[in-house]
Amino acid sequence: MSTPLTDPPAAIVTEYEAAVARYWDTKRDDQINLLLGAEDGVIHHHYGVGDFDRAILDLPAPDRETAVLAELHRLENQQTERILDTLAPVCAEDRLLDGGSGRGGTAFMLHDRFGCQVDGLTISRYQVEFATHLAQRRGCADSVRFHLRNMLRTGLPSASFDAIVTNETTMYVDLFELYREFARILRPGGRYVLITWCVDDLTGPTADTERIDRHYGCHMHRRSTYFAALAANGLVPYRVVDLTAEAIPYWELRTHSQHRTGIEAAFLDAYHQRAANFLLIGADRPKDAAAPA
């Protein structure tokens, strides 16, 4: 039996959090996201990994655009599958948390793969309503639920989750605060898996990484900060994969879409120059870990 959710602390307490919430509350006609998941109802707010079928670029329009969008969706689903593969094994009785759940794509894929209960958190009221409606359409609203809560201050009971994931959401929060809260709500022996883009420590911020920050209203962290924040909160990495090279084809393909947004060149340049990295990290909370202070 799952632990019931309690009344949460305020989801938004700072001007920055309010600005982030406004950004996502008003992002309602982003076709590069909505069109990709129109067929299967799995709508993401993240990117993708893996190569694409180059032959589709020779197709005539509009067949080419249809094929490009289908390939982009396959790559973004493939990215989430990397999280699921790293998280496994998961039992149907386990309870999972998706931090920064957006329109629900990652949460639905977690439930579809493992059959478990998933709670998604976001500070965007629009995203909660959108994802909840999708859960009802998919017939899984009893198992996949979305909440207007801040992943820095969840208000959830300690040791109440078996696993947590974040899929390109950590650039909006302080990592030390985030992992302190994750360590609190993870049960001993639980695990956390993330995918994120971050600044390479050797190259440092560049005009491209700063442009990405401005575009999304976020603050990209340095690669080393992830490991420092995990260690500070007793979360021990068991898998680290640099996905930078695998992320480049997705952005190359997006440059060919009619729905490109203009940020593609910044990501391509940042990844090619190693100014930014694209990382997957899996971390465990050891079974003998002390309760967070």
Side-chain angles (χ1 to χ4, degrees):
M1 181 179 296
S2 64
T3 304
L5 294 179
T6 57
D7 291 337
I12 299 168
V13 298
T14 69
E15 291 184 6
Y16 175 68
E17 290 172 349
V20 172
R22 282 195 301 272
Y23 176 83
W24 293 109
D25 279 339
T26 57
K27 196 175 180 64
R28 303 189 179 205
D29 192 32
D30 43 323
Q31 295 300 300
I32 194 66
N33 299 122
L34 292 168
L35 289 177
L36 271 58
E39 185 170 333
D40 62 3
V42 178
I43 299 174
H44 298 290
H45 279 298
H46 62 75
Y47 309 127
V49 295
D51 206 356
F52 62 90
D53 180 2
R54 311 266 165 176
I56 67 175
L57 301 181
D58 296 325
L59 294 173
D63 293 342
R64 181 174 62 242
E65 180 66 11
T66 300
V68 165
L69 294 178
E71 277 290 85
L72 287 172
H73 190 48
R74 182 179 68 81
L75 297 184
E76 63 180 5
N77 280 345
Q78 192 163 271
Q79 174 174 314
T80 303
E81 293 286 355
R82 297 292 289 268
I83 290 178
L84 274 55
D85 292 343
T86 303
L87 196 65
V90 174
C91 300
E93 295 76 21
D94 287 342
R95 186 180 184 191
L96 275 54
L97 181 74
D98 179 12
S101 50
R103 287 192 174 104
T106 297
F108 292 132
M109 289 183 67
L110 285 165
H111 177 261
D112 290 349
R113 167 84 75 93
F114 300 120
C116 56
Q117 179 178 331
V118 184
D119 289 289
L121 307 184
T122 173
I123 62 173
S124 166
R125 189 175 300 277
Y126 161 72
Q127 289 182 341
V128 170
E129 294 171 351
F130 187 100
T132 298
H133 177 67
L134 274 183
Q136 293 167 347
R137 283 178 49 192
R138 295 171 66 88
C140 61
D142 290 339
S143 300
V144 185
R145 300 179 297 168
F146 300 93
H147 315 278
L148 187 68
R149 292 183 182 234
N150 194 310
M151 59 183 174
L152 294 178
R153 307 175 297 277
T154 67
L156 300 170
S158 297
S160 56
F161 287 90
D162 298 283
I164 300 173
V165 303
T166 55
N167 198 351
E168 296 190 67
T169 63
T170 50
M171 61 289 299
Y172 287 100
V173 295
D174 180 273
L175 294 179
F176 289 87
E177 291 183 48
L178 179 68
Y179 296 153
R180 185 181 308 119
E181 178 68 351
F182 281 3
R184 184 185 70 80
I185 63 177
L186 263 178
R187 65 166 178 80
R191 59 182 29 178
Y192 165 56
V193 179
L194 73 140
I195 283 182
T196 190
W197 20 279
C198 54
V199 174
D200 185 276
D201 288 277
L202 295 178
T203 307
T206 64
D208 291 309
T209 62
E210 291 171 359
R211 182 183 172 194
I212 292 168
D213 276 349
R214 289 194 302 272
H215 183 86
Y216 293 106
C218 64
H219 301 294
M220 197 184 309
H221 301 292
R222 288 181 177 269
R223 177 174 177 144
S224 60
T225 306
Y226 281 91
F227 297 99
L230 289 169
N233 291 285
L235 298 172
V236 181
Y238 63 88
R239 188 176 187 197
V240 178
V241 183
D242 190 326
L243 296 171
T244 307
E246 294 184 57
I248 289 173
Y250 169 89
W251 290 103
E252 291 176 340
L253 182 57
R254 262 186 56 155
T255 66
H256 296 279
S257 172
Q258 297 172 11
H259 296 88
R260 58 189 176 273
T261 63
I263 199 62
E264 291 80 11
F267 272 101
L268 284 170
D269 289 345
Y271 287 155
H272 278 302
Q273 297 167 12
R274 298 295 298 185
N277 304 153
F278 199 54
L279 289 186
L280 179 149
I281 304 173
D284 282 329
R285 182 173 181 232
K287 291 184 178 180
D288 58 353

